[in-house]
Amino acid sequence: MKFRLSGEFGELSEVRDNIPHTGIDLAMPEGTELHSIANGIVDKVFDGSGKIGEGLSIKLESGQRLIYGHMDRVNVSVGDKIGYGDLLGMSGNTGNSTSAHLHFAVRNPDGSFVDPTPLVEKVDATSGSIEAGNWFIDKWNAAGDWVVGKETEFLFRPLQQALHDGLVSFWNWLIINLPDIMGYGAILTGVIMILSAMAGKGMIKPAGFFGGALIVAVSILGGVK
């Protein structure tokens, strides 16, 4: 990691009046570029008057919020759409802070905070000089997901619907015409038996003629069109 984890989630400190820490702190020089680790919309910008100093909140599609605090400058405004890697501003030492660092927190829709430690490597990688490889791979994967989504929307789903409609139509046709199909099938069976009997010998020949004729007669009398 490029930056040191200087404050853990839930730790108690006199600086915070022994209130459990709601996020994590990454020690970094003032003026370090901060880039977003996810796609979302800026739903709040902190003006520096509170304990968190200058900062911002990004609302994700899940409803969770990513909070960046103690910033020196915020480069985005409320309502801005944010993508992975987009510049958010510069780290600083504003608000209730004893040294230059970034406060990063994750807040649930119900207002509770969750441990953001699993995201610390992403925050580290997108702070300061972005690791070009990771940024490029993430952008490439995002583009790939978009292409796959469009293929599914415009190609596979219509084909799936057409196949479904075709099977339903065939099933309905089969149900309506099943009696006729069975009748013609019986006639065909009778004819085959008669032809087979013609080539047979002994008892097979008269039995075949009789059975075939019987099947044909029953099928015709049964109402085959």
Side-chain angles (χ1 to χ4, degrees):
M1 285 179 49
K2 302 193 296 287
F3 305 102
R4 177 176 60 87
L5 182 64
S6 59
E8 298 183 354
F9 177 76
E11 70 178 9
L12 302 176
S13 171
E14 292 183 0
V15 175
R16 306 184 192 90
D17 299 324
N18 289 319
I19 298 174
H21 194 201
T22 58
I24 56 174
D25 292 337
L26 281 175
M28 59 181 63
E30 293 184 43
T32 300
E33 288 189 357
L34 301 177
H35 300 261
S36 177
I37 66 169
N39 302 329
I41 297 177
V42 178
D43 70 322
K44 190 170 185 178
V45 172
F46 306 108
D47 61 7
S49 61
K51 292 182 179 181
I52 199 172
E54 291 192 40
L56 59 98
S57 169
I58 300 175
K59 185 176 181 180
L60 307 181
E61 186 177 348
S62 65
Q64 284 188 319
R65 289 171 168 80
L66 307 180
I67 298 173
Y68 294 75
H70 304 308
M71 295 173 62
D72 180 65
R73 186 172 79 243
V74 177
N75 286 27
V76 294
S77 303
V78 173
D80 287 351
K81 291 184 178 180
I82 302 297
Y84 177 88
D86 288 350
L87 179 64
L88 302 176
M90 306 295 179
S91 68
N93 189 25
T94 58
N96 189 14
S97 174
T98 58
S99 62
H101 72 281
L102 167 68
H103 171 81
F104 178 77
V106 178
R107 192 168 191 173
N108 285 327
D110 62 5
S112 62
F113 289 91
V114 296
D115 186 0
T117 304
L119 301 175
V120 66
E121 291 187 2
K122 277 191 172 183
V123 178
D124 179 81
T126 53
S127 300
S129 58
I130 294 182
E131 296 177 10
N134 290 344
W135 182 87
F136 178 78
I137 289 173
D138 285 341
K139 288 294 186 183
W140 178 265
N141 289 338
D145 291 342
W146 182 85
V147 171
V148 171
K150 291 302 179 183
E151 286 180 346
T152 300
E153 181 179 355
F154 293 109
L155 179 61
F156 295 113
R157 285 181 182 170
L159 287 176
Q160 182 184 31
Q161 186 62 43
L163 179 60
H164 173 268
D165 293 343
L167 289 174
V168 170
S169 297
F170 173 74
W171 178 255
N172 292 334
W173 175 86
L174 183 63
I175 293 299
I176 294 173
N177 295 280
L178 187 58
D180 288 348
I181 293 173
M182 293 180 66
Y184 288 120
I187 291 177
L188 180 61
T189 301
V191 171
I192 292 174
M193 289 182 66
I194 292 173
L195 293 175
S196 299
M198 293 174 63
K201 296 180 181 180
M203 293 298 295
I204 296 177
K205 191 167 186 176
F209 274 115
F210 176 77
L214 180 62
I215 291 175
V216 172
V218 172
S219 300
I220 294 175
L221 291 174
V224 176
K225 298 177 182 178

